[in-house]
Amino acid sequence: MPPVPGDDGRPLGFVTKYRRKAFTDATLTRTEEIMREVCADFEAELKQFNGEQAHVHLLVHYPPKVQLSKLVNSLKGVSSRRLRQEYDSHVRRYLWGGHFWSGSYFAGSCGGAPLTVVKQYIENQQRPV
């Protein structure tokens, strides 16, 4: 389904378990790649991605047939599994017990901040070096 003109997507936010500062620039870059793949599997588009040491922000455009909760569960589940496989020793320093993400998430909806403000906020994250 083609995107609706002017529909830039829905903002999503995920935090690490206990807000542990587990992200580096490299792990954020890999997380973005993984999440782009997951979005493609859902016929969705990851329009923007950025994060800081303990959280990530996404702007995702997805078709109406996609259940947001299923998309979010896949984004978090696949990224958690792959990051633990690929960065095992690093992740274990910050997170344990098989958990990577907090159980909650943020999903913005219409009526909130204008998308230009959300985009600017995502772009201006203080990404770790």
Side-chain angles (χ1 to χ4, degrees), residues 4-44:
V4 177
D7 181 7
D8 288 329
R10 174 176 281 217
L12 301 174
F14 309 143
V15 297
T16 57
K17 189 77 172 180
Y18 310 117
R19 290 194 176 269
R20 301 278 184 197
K21 296 180 178 182
F23 282 112
T24 63
D25 185 54
T27 55
L28 280 171
T29 298
R30 182 62 181 131
T31 303
E32 180 178 3
E33 292 168 356
I34 294 165
M35 290 189 172
R36 283 192 188 284
E37 293 170 13
V38 171
C39 284
D41 290 344
F42 279 83
E43 298 176 17

Side-chain angles (χ1 to χ4, degrees), residues 24-124:
T24 63
D25 185 54
T27 55
L28 280 171
T29 298
R30 182 62 181 131
T31 303
E32 180 178 3
E33 292 168 356
I34 294 165
M35 290 189 172
R36 283 192 188 284
E37 293 170 13
V38 171
C39 284
D41 290 344
F42 279 83
E43 298 176 17
E45 181 185 359
L46 180 57
K47 296 223 172 221
Q48 268 190 298
F49 176 95
N50 207 349
E52 295 186 357
Q53 291 177 315
H55 67 272
V56 297
H57 291 281
L58 301 81
L59 193 58
V60 179
H61 179 269
Y62 57 94
K65 68 180 180 181
V66 172
Q67 293 179 25
L68 179 61
S69 61
K70 290 189 181 209
L71 175 61
V72 166
N73 285 339
S74 242
L75 288 165
K76 290 169 70 174
V78 172
S79 62
S80 173
R81 189 169 46 257
R82 290 203 190 155
L83 289 170
R84 285 184 169 284
Q85 289 169 348
E86 297 172 23
Y87 297 94
D88 183 55
S89 61
H90 173 78
V91 171
R92 275 190 287 123
R93 280 200 337 237
Y94 297 93
L95 301 160
W96 50 90
H99 299 285
F100 189 92
W101 299 108
S102 164
S104 62
Y105 63 91
F106 166 79
S109 62
C110 54
L115 281 175
T116 54
V117 173
V118 173
K119 284 181 176 182
Q120 185 178 18
Y121 177 75
I122 292 171
E123 289 171 1
N124 292 324

